[in-house]
Amino acid sequence: MDMNDFKERKKKILQVVIHHYVRTARPAASRMIVRDYDFPFSSATVRNVLAELEEEGYLTHPYTSAGRIPTDKGYRFYVNRLMEAQKLTQEEERRIEREYRAKRRGLEEVLRQTSKMLSHISHHAGFILSPTLERSFLKHIELVPLGGKRILAVLVIQAGLIRHKTIQLNYDLKRSQLYRISELLNEKLSGLPLSQMREKMNRIIEQESNKYLGLLQAAKGLIGQAFTSEESEIYLEGSANILASVKEDLYDYAGVGSVFRAIEEKRIILDIVRRLIQSEGVKVLIGRENLYPELKDFSVVSSTYKSGNRVVGALGIIGPKRMEYPKMVALVDFIAKVVNNILNSEGG
Amino acid sequence: MDMNDFKERKKKILQVVIHHYVRTARPAASRMIVRDYDFPFSSATVRNVLAELEEEGYLTHPYTSAGRIPTDKGYRFYVNRLMEAQKLTQEEERRIEREYRAKRRGLEEVLRQTSKMLSHISHHAGFILSPTLERSFLKHIELVPLGGKRILAVLVIQAGLIRHKTIQLNYDLKRSQLYRISELLNEKLSGLPLSQMREKMNRIIEQESNKYLGLLQAAKGLIGQAFTSEESEIYLEGSANILASVKEDLYDYAGVGSVFRAIEEKRIILDIVRRLIQSEGVKVLIGRENLYPELKDFSVVSSTYKSGNRVVGALGIIGPKRMEYPKMVALVDFIAKVVNNILNSEGG
DNA sequence: AATTAGCACTCCCAACAGCAGAGTGCTAAT
DNA sequence: ATTAGCACTCTGCTGTTGGGAGTGCTAATT
C-alpha cells in the first residue's frame, strides 16, 4: 500500500482503527496507531485523517478525548473494500470435517451439529435453519396407523428432512389400506416440489374415482396441513456467548434482555434470514442493517445451502459488531459448503 | 396465628421477612416489619427475634446494618412448613386449558407449548422433558424405504412420542418386504416396554428362522441403536427471564454467564430432573440443594408426568431463589396434571 | 420475665473534590 | 503537506464527607 497516496493512507488508518478496536475493545488513539503500527507519520497527521474519517461518518468517538471507534458505515466499508479474504486454518478445517464424519445420522443431527460448530469456532451464537418445506421436493410419503382413527403421516423430503404429523380421522382404516394409499401417493407425488402438492392432489382426486376417494380427500387435507403450518426450524446454539461479548464491550446491560428475548424467540432470525435466502454466498449484516433495533449492536454473518440446485436453507452466526469479519466470513463460507456437500452427496 | 405464642410469632416474622424480600428484593428491617405488617410489638422486640432467627441459620444479613434476608434454610422452612398452598386463579387455569385446546397436534407440540406456558406464567424459565424412552411402551413400529439401501424406522411410543431413525443397510429391500417385516415386529413387540426390546428381539430371532432372518438381525441392531442412544429431549423456554431476575437481585453479573451456559447445555437440568423422576408430586430445590454450584442462587420447582401408570417425564421452572413459591408450586402442579390428562386421555 | 426506649455504632451510599492520564483540536512553525 | 506544541476536555480513580438506615446492647418499664 502506497503511503504517499493520500487515499490509501486513509484506508490504511481506517483499517488499523478497526483491527485495533476488534482486538481490544478500546478506542484507537492517534499516538497508538503511529506507535504500534510503525506509521511513518506523526500522531498529529493521523489525527487530521481521523478527523476527516469522522467527518465522513466512518468513525466516531464516545467522548471528547477518547480515541476513535468504527461506525456501522466504517465496518461496512471495511467489509466491502478493505478486509482481505481469509481461509480457516488447516487444523480448523480438518476439525470440522472430522466432527461431521464422526457422528453422522439423520439430517437433524447434522443441523444440530452445525449450529454447535458455528458457535464453538466463532465464539458467538451459531444458527442454522432447517430446509424450507415449500422449496423442497417430496421424496417419500408413508401413512402409518396409530390406532383409534389416528394416522401418522411421515414425509421424507429430498434434502433428508423428515417430518411427521398426526392426523385424526373420523373413520377407521386398516394398515393394509394405508399401505396401498401410501403407494398411490408416492407414485403420483414423489419428486414434486411441495409447493405444487395441493394442486396436484386436486387433479389426482378428479381422475381417481375409486374406493379410496374418501381417504384421498383426507390425505389432501393432511398434506395441506402438514406443509403449510410448518415453519422452518431454527437450531440455535451458544446464545450465552452474546453475554460475554456484551460484557467486554461495556455496553449497558439494559438492552441485553431484549437481545436475548429477540434471539430466543427466533422469529427475528427467521425473518432476517428469509431475506437472505434469495441470494447465494456469504452475506454480512452490520448493526442497524439488521432492521430490528434489538440487534443494532450486533452483526449477522450468514450463507445459504442448497438441495439439488435450489437454495433451501441458511446458516450463520450472530455476534457483536466488533467481530473478526474475515475469519467469520471464512468460517460461515466453509461450513455452508460442507453442509452443501453432505446434503447433496448422500441425501439427494 | 396467636401472637402471644412465642414460636408462632417467630414463624410469622420469618414469613414476613420472606414475603417482603420476595416482593421487593430488599432486605427486611425490623421497623419496616412493625410498620407495614401491623405488628403489635416494637421494633426492638422484632430485632431480638430476628437475631435469634439468624443465630439459628434461617436468616442472614448482607452487612452489619442492613435488614435480614432469608438463607436457603429459611426458604426451606418456609416451603415445608410456613407457606400456604395456593391455587391458580380461575382466569389462569382457564387460560392454560384454552391454550392447550386451541392448538393440539402431536406430542411435540404439547411439549413445546408446555415449556412456553410454564415460562410465560411464571416469568421464569420453563422446561419439560420428553418421555424417557426406556420407561415407555412401544405402540407401533414402521419401516419405510428411503431408497439407496436406506430405511427409516419410525417408532411410536405409547405416550405419543414419535422417534425416527435412518438406517443404512448393505442390501436392498422392497417396500412390500418392509411392510411385512413391520407387521411381524408389531405383532411381537408392540405393547412391550422398550427396556426389554433387545432381549425380546433375540428370542424372536431364535424362533423365527425364516427368510427375513437377515433383516430381523438388522432390525435388532436398529432398535438397539434407536433406543439406547437417544436421550430425553429438553424443551426449554424463557431463559432470558433469568437475566431479568439477576438484574433485580443485584447479584454480580459475573456468574450469570455460567448459569446461562449451564442451562443452555441442558445437561444439568437433565441430571437434576433425573433424580426427581423417581418420585411423584411437586418438588422444590432451593439454592445449593441443586448440587450444581452454577445454580446456587436459583431454585427449581418441578413435578412429573406419567404415561399409563409409570412416571416417564418431568417438567418445571427455574428461577431465582427469591420467587413466589406458593404460586410456582401451584402452577407446576396444575400444568403437570393437565399434561397427564392429555397424555393419558388420547395418547394412551 | 418480657418488652421497650434510647443510643452508640457500623456500614452503605451518593456526592463531591482533586488529580493524573489519555487524547483531541487547533495554531503556528517548518 | 506535515508536524511540534500546547491548551483543553473528559475519564477514571481515590479519598473525604455526611446522611441515613439499621442493628445491638443496655437500662428502664410494665
Side-chain angles (χ1 to χ4, degrees):
Chain A
M1 196 179 290
D2 184 359
M3 279 299 184
N4 292 321
D5 183 334
F6 197 83
K7 287 216 164 170
E8 285 307 315
R9 188 176 61 197
K10 203 156 158 182
K11 285 185 197 166
K12 176 70 178 173
I13 288 177
L14 177 56
Q15 192 175 32
V16 165
V17 170
I18 292 178
H19 273 156
H20 180 267
Y21 185 64
V22 166
R23 269 198 317 115
T24 66
R26 304 249 158 265
S30 57
R31 192 145 56 85
M32 176 259 123
I33 293 175
V34 174
R35 179 169 19 87
D36 290 13
Y37 291 81
D38 295 331
F39 228 70
F41 297 97
S42 79
S43 62
T45 310
V46 172
R47 272 203 293 285
N48 289 329
V49 180
L50 289 176
E52 282 176 51
L53 283 166
E54 178 159 4
E55 188 85 9
E56 298 160 35
Y58 295 103
L59 297 178
T60 184
H61 55 218
Y63 53 89
T64 339
S65 100
R68 299 306 205 293
I69 64 177
T71 60
D72 285 10
K73 186 175 172 186
Y75 281 122
R76 172 49 61 198
F77 187 81
Y78 171 75
V79 167
N80 287 354
R81 313 273 307 274
L82 255 35
M83 77 181 189
E84 298 146 27
Q86 193 180 312
K87 291 195 68 172
L88 296 183
T89 63
Q90 287 245 331
E91 146 89 278
E92 283 167 325
E93 295 198 351
R94 243 188 291 252
R95 179 184 152 194
I96 292 171
E97 274 161 350
R98 192 166 354 108
E99 201 85 32
Y100 274 114
R101 243 194 308 274
K103 219 214 236 175
R104 173 86 69 74
R105 314 222 188 287
L107 178 65
E108 275 88 354
E109 194 55 43
V110 172
L111 295 174
R112 197 185 317 273
Q113 220 171 356
T114 302
S115 64
K116 279 206 176 114
M117 222 135 44
L118 281 164
S119 161
H120 288 160
I121 299 178
S122 69
H123 301 295
H124 302 304
F127 66 86
I128 180 165
L129 255 68
S130 65
T132 336
L133 289 176
E134 297 99 51
R135 297 176 135 257
S136 305
F137 298 88
L138 181 71
K139 195 162 150 199
H140 192 91
I141 182 168
E142 191 83 32
L143 303 176
V144 179
L146 288 185
K149 294 175 184 166
R150 311 182 109 218
I151 56 179
L152 180 73
V154 179
L155 307 168
V156 185
I157 310 304
Q158 184 176 35
L161 195 65
I162 291 154
R163 279 284 133 98
H164 53 74
K165 197 105 194 175
T166 316
I167 316 288
Q168 179 81 52
L169 291 180
N170 46 14
Y171 49 88
D172 246 329
L173 276 166
K174 293 234 175 67
R175 182 161 176 266
S176 57
Q177 290 177 295
L178 287 174
Y179 176 75
R180 232 134 345 121
I181 317 242
S182 301
E183 191 160 51
L184 182 64
L185 290 176
N186 275 313
E187 220 170 83
K188 306 277 186 187
L189 298 178
S190 76
L192 291 180
L194 299 206
S195 49
Q196 295 172 26
M197 212 98 297
R198 217 189 299 234
E199 175 191 351
K200 177 73 179 176
M201 279 300 290
N202 282 331
R203 258 181 292 143
I204 294 177
I205 288 174
E206 278 171 29
Q207 291 165 16
E208 203 84 27
S209 56
N210 62 15
K211 54 185 167 169
Y212 297 126
L213 195 61
L215 187 78
L216 281 176
Q217 294 276 16
K220 180 190 155 197
L222 173 175
I223 285 176
Q225 255 187 58
F227 294 171
T228 57
S229 69
E230 289 278 338
E231 288 259 339
S232 289
E233 250 184 303
I234 291 188
Y235 292 74
L236 175 68
E237 199 73 28
S239 49
N241 288 336
I242 299 282
L243 214 57
S245 41
V246 171
K247 202 178 292 185
E248 278 186 3
D249 288 20
L250 5 128
Y251 291 153
D252 51 342
Y253 273 97
V256 187
S258 73
V259 179
F260 261 77
R261 223 168 287 276
I263 293 183
E264 192 178 43
E265 275 193 40
K266 299 179 175 178
R267 215 169 14 81
I268 289 185
I269 301 182
L270 215 66
D271 200 59
I272 290 177
V273 170
R274 243 198 293 270
R275 270 165 231 195
L276 299 173
I277 216 168
Q278 312 299 342
S279 58
E280 285 181 46
V282 179
K283 286 270 177 301
V284 180
L285 284 178
I286 298 162
R288 293 195 187 276
E289 294 172 5
N290 305 296
L291 299 173
Y292 295 86
E294 293 93 330
L295 292 181
K296 75 177 164 48
D297 294 322
F298 295 85
S299 287
V300 178
V301 179
S302 66
S303 186
T304 55
Y305 64 87
K306 304 202 236 177
S307 166
N309 49 11
R310 272 184 107 155
V311 170
V312 292
L315 56 83
I317 59 144
I318 302 177
K321 287 196 294 198
R322 196 180 73 66
M323 66 165 67
E324 294 182 50
Y325 290 96
K327 169 105 188 227
M328 295 303 118
V329 169
L331 171 66
V332 169
D333 193 41
F334 184 74
I335 293 216
K337 279 179 181 137
V338 173
V339 170
N340 251 318
N341 285 344
I342 291 177
L343 248 59
N344 295 302
S345 64
E346 49 167 64
Chain B
M1 197 178 291
D2 183 0
M3 279 301 183
N4 292 322
D5 182 336
F6 196 82
K7 287 217 162 169
E8 285 306 315
R9 188 176 63 195
K10 204 156 158 182
K11 286 185 196 165
K12 175 72 177 172
I13 288 177
L14 176 56
Q15 192 176 33
V16 165
V17 170
I18 292 178
H19 274 156
H20 179 266
Y21 186 63
V22 166
R23 270 199 316 115
T24 66
R26 305 246 158 266
S30 56
R31 192 147 55 84
M32 177 258 123
I33 292 175
V34 174
R35 180 167 22 84
D36 291 13
Y37 290 80
D38 295 331
F39 228 68
F41 297 95
S42 80
S43 63
T45 309
V46 172
R47 270 203 294 285
N48 289 330
V49 180
L50 289 175
E52 283 176 51
L53 283 166
E54 178 159 5
E55 187 86 9
E56 299 161 35
Y58 296 103
L59 296 178
T60 185
H61 54 217
Y63 53 90
T64 338
S65 100
R68 299 304 205 293
I69 64 176
T71 60
D72 285 9
K73 185 176 173 187
Y75 281 123
R76 171 50 62 199
F77 188 82
Y78 171 74
V79 167
N80 286 354
R81 312 273 306 275
L82 257 36
M83 78 180 190
E84 298 147 25
Q86 194 181 312
K87 292 196 65 171
L88 295 183
T89 64
Q90 288 246 332
E91 148 87 279
E92 283 168 323
E93 294 199 352
R94 243 189 289 255
R95 182 185 152 195
I96 291 170
E97 274 161 350
R98 194 168 348 111
E99 202 84 32
Y100 275 113
R101 243 195 306 276
K103 220 213 234 175
R104 173 88 67 76
R105 313 221 189 290
L107 179 67
E108 275 86 354
E109 193 57 41
V110 171
L111 295 173
R112 197 185 314 273
Q113 219 171 355
T114 301
S115 65
K116 279 208 176 115
M117 222 135 45
L118 282 165
S119 162
H120 287 161
I121 299 178
S122 70
H123 299 123
H124 303 305
F127 67 86
I128 181 165
L129 255 68
S130 65
T132 338
L133 288 177
E134 297 99 52
R135 299 177 135 257
S136 306
F137 297 88
L138 181 69
K139 195 161 150 198
H140 192 93
I141 182 169
E142 190 83 33
L143 303 176
V144 179
L146 288 183
K149 294 176 185 165
R150 311 183 108 218
I151 57 178
L152 181 73
V154 180
L155 307 167
V156 184
I157 312 303
Q158 183 176 36
L161 194 65
I162 290 154
R163 277 286 133 96
H164 53 74
K165 197 105 194 174
T166 316
I167 316 287
Q168 179 81 53
L169 292 180
N170 46 13
Y171 48 88
D172 246 328
L173 275 167
K174 291 235 175 67
R175 183 162 176 267
S176 57
Q177 291 177 294
L178 286 174
Y179 176 74
R180 231 131 350 117
I181 318 241
S182 302
E183 192 161 50
L184 181 64
L185 290 176
N186 275 314
E187 222 170 82
K188 306 276 185 186
L189 299 178
S190 76
L192 290 180
L194 298 205
S195 48
Q196 295 173 25
M197 211 99 297
R198 217 188 300 230
E199 175 190 352
K200 177 73 179 175
M201 279 301 289
N202 282 331
R203 258 182 291 144
I204 294 177
I205 289 175
E206 279 169 28
Q207 291 165 17
E208 202 84 29
S209 57
N210 62 15
K211 55 185 167 169
Y212 296 126
L213 195 61
L215 188 77
L216 281 176
Q217 296 275 16
K220 181 190 154 197
L222 172 176
I223 285 176
Q225 257 187 58
F227 295 171
T228 57
S229 69
E230 288 278 338
E231 288 260 339
S232 289
E233 252 184 302
I234 290 187
Y235 292 74
L236 175 68
E237 199 73 29
S239 50
N241 288 336
I242 299 282
L243 215 57
S245 38
V246 171
K247 202 177 290 184
E248 278 185 3
D249 288 18
L250 3 129
Y251 292 152
D252 51 342
Y253 274 97
V256 186
S258 73
V259 179
F260 260 76
R261 224 168 286 275
I263 292 184
E264 193 179 43
E265 273 192 42
K266 300 180 176 178
R267 215 167 17 80
I268 290 185
I269 301 182
L270 216 65
D271 200 57
I272 290 176
V273 170
R274 243 197 293 270
R275 270 165 231 197
L276 299 173
I277 217 169
Q278 312 299 342
S279 58
E280 285 182 45
V282 179
K283 286 269 177 303
V284 180
L285 284 178
I286 298 163
R288 293 194 188 276
E289 294 174 4
N290 305 297
L291 299 174
Y292 295 85
E294 293 92 332
L295 291 182
K296 73 177 164 51
D297 294 321
F298 295 85
S299 287
V300 178
V301 178
S302 66
S303 187
T304 55
Y305 64 88
K306 304 201 235 175
S307 166
N309 49 10
R310 272 184 106 153
V311 171
V312 292
L315 56 83
I317 60 143
I318 301 176
K321 286 195 293 196
R322 196 180 72 67
M323 66 165 65
E324 296 181 48
Y325 290 96
K327 170 107 188 227
M328 294 303 117
V329 169
L331 171 67
V332 169
D333 193 43
F334 184 75
I335 293 215
K337 280 179 181 137
V338 173
V339 170
N340 251 318
N341 285 344
I342 292 177
L343 247 59
N344 296 302
S345 64
E346 49 168 64

